Amino acid sequence: MEKSKIKVVYEYCRAIFSQKGLPTFHQLQHLKNQLDRIEAKDVGIDEFGSRDSAIAIQEAGGSRGLLCGQGFSEITYIHIHECESFSIGVFCLPAGKTFPLHDHPGMTVLSKLPYGSVHVKAYDWIKVDEELEQVLELTLWPGVVGLAGRVIDGIMKAPQEASILFPTSGGNIHGFTALTPCAILDVLSPPYSEDFGRPSTYFSDFPLPFPSSGYAVLEAIPLPSDLVVRGAPYLGPPVAAQYCSYQ
Ligand SMILES: [Fe+2]
């Protein structure tokens, strides 16, 4: 029997993220190509389904149904896999909902939009010397701040090639606003971990008119009180939940 597309992704993640050392550019490009094949149904979602997702699950009655892509009323996370080396999951956003700016410390992240359209804003940190720090008056800010350069401020619309971000480039700090109901399939390596110093931090951005447009001061903020992320079961083809780790 032919392997499901998501199982191919899982097995390739296991091969390249569990090896010693970082994956090569060629390996990441191959993973990106595999992610580009993924459609909503490959991760257990009917992108056109508009009924309440909870009803769809009940009707599945133990068999593997599909979640309704147009039926999410809150941001919803569908967990597919997590081990020490990587995680795979899908965020489903209803139209108009925002997932605020957040970082991915020390991580490589591949993101694929199986359906819908979303506005993306992404930044990378910029090293600031003492002189610029004084000009920007960064020390006067009450919270934890840094200078960041804007990498993306635009619309992603499915089908679109998967994006890759790295620990210090490619837009490591990003946020999304759904323009239509949409889903974002994320592969994170390594995954978030408070224990291993990889927490998720949220930010507010304050765009600067200088040194030139495209720069912003990012201020770390507490978890936004209006951010609601629900969970939903993964109903797509199974991926082996085998233990994996750095060897
Ligand atoms: Fe993210």
Side-chain angles (χ1 to χ4, degrees):
M1 204 171 84
E2 196 183 348
K3 268 186 209 164
S4 68
K5 292 177 193 172
I6 192 67
K7 183 154 183 159
V8 171
V9 166
Y10 162 78
E11 290 188 348
Y12 196 67
C13 285
R14 190 158 181 259
I16 67 170
F17 294 132
S18 299
Q19 65 189 3
K20 276 186 186 163
L22 296 172
T24 64
F25 176 78
H26 181 78
Q27 289 172 327
L28 289 174
Q29 189 64 33
H30 183 73
L31 177 56
K32 180 182 123 22
N33 292 342
Q34 298 307 316
L35 283 169
D36 282 338
R37 299 169 62 221
I38 300 272
E39 299 175 80
K41 63 178 169 23
D42 298 313
V43 287
I45 301 171
D46 171 8
E47 71 173 276
F48 304 108
S50 57
R51 302 172 69 183
D52 182 274
S53 288
I55 294 171
I57 293 163
Q58 283 172 8
E59 287 188 348
S63 64
R64 304 191 84 81
L66 294 174
L67 297 174
C68 294
Q70 309 290 314
F72 295 102
S73 57
E74 298 288 352
I75 298 174
T76 301
Y77 182 67
I78 303 164
H79 172 83
I80 298 177
H81 173 80
E82 181 167 336
C83 62
E84 288 178 19
S85 309
F86 65 95
S87 65
I88 305 175
V90 185
F91 284 96
C92 295
L93 282 76
K97 287 286 182 182
T98 295
F99 200 99
L101 283 171
H102 59 281
D103 65 350
H104 308 81
M107 301 177 194
T108 298
V109 179
L110 292 94
S111 299
K112 167 69 182 170
L113 192 71
Y115 66 89
S117 62
V118 66
H119 179 265
V120 184
K121 199 193 283 188
Y123 294 96
D124 282 315
W125 293 117
I126 290 175
K127 282 191 181 150
V128 180
D129 61 25
E130 226 170 276
E131 190 182 332
L132 185 55
E133 189 174 274
Q134 282 179 2
V135 171
L136 296 174
E137 298 181 321
L138 291 181
T139 55
L140 300 181
W141 287 68
V144 177
V145 299
L147 181 65
R150 195 173 62 215
V151 177
I152 306 163
D153 188 2
I155 294 171
M156 279 171 50
K157 190 172 181 211
Q160 181 156 351
E161 286 188 18
S163 59
I164 310 179
L165 63 84
F166 299 95
T168 58
S169 64
N172 188 274
I173 304 125
H174 65 189
F176 304 99
T177 298
L179 302 176
T180 67
C182 66
I184 301 165
L185 169 62
D186 270 351
V187 174
L188 277 57
S189 179
Y192 283 113
S193 169
E194 296 270 348
D195 292 345
F196 289 96
R198 298 189 300 271
S200 176
T201 304
Y202 293 90
F203 298 91
S204 287
D205 62 331
F206 300 89
L208 297 174
F210 65 94
S212 66
S213 63
Y215 290 84
V217 171
L218 301 190
E219 181 181 28
I221 57 171
L223 180 70
S225 58
D226 59 347
L227 177 61
V228 175
V229 180
R230 289 187 178 156
Y234 171 61
L235 301 181
V239 298
Q242 291 167 299
Y243 178 77
C244 62
S245 65
Y246 294 111
Q247 293 162 348

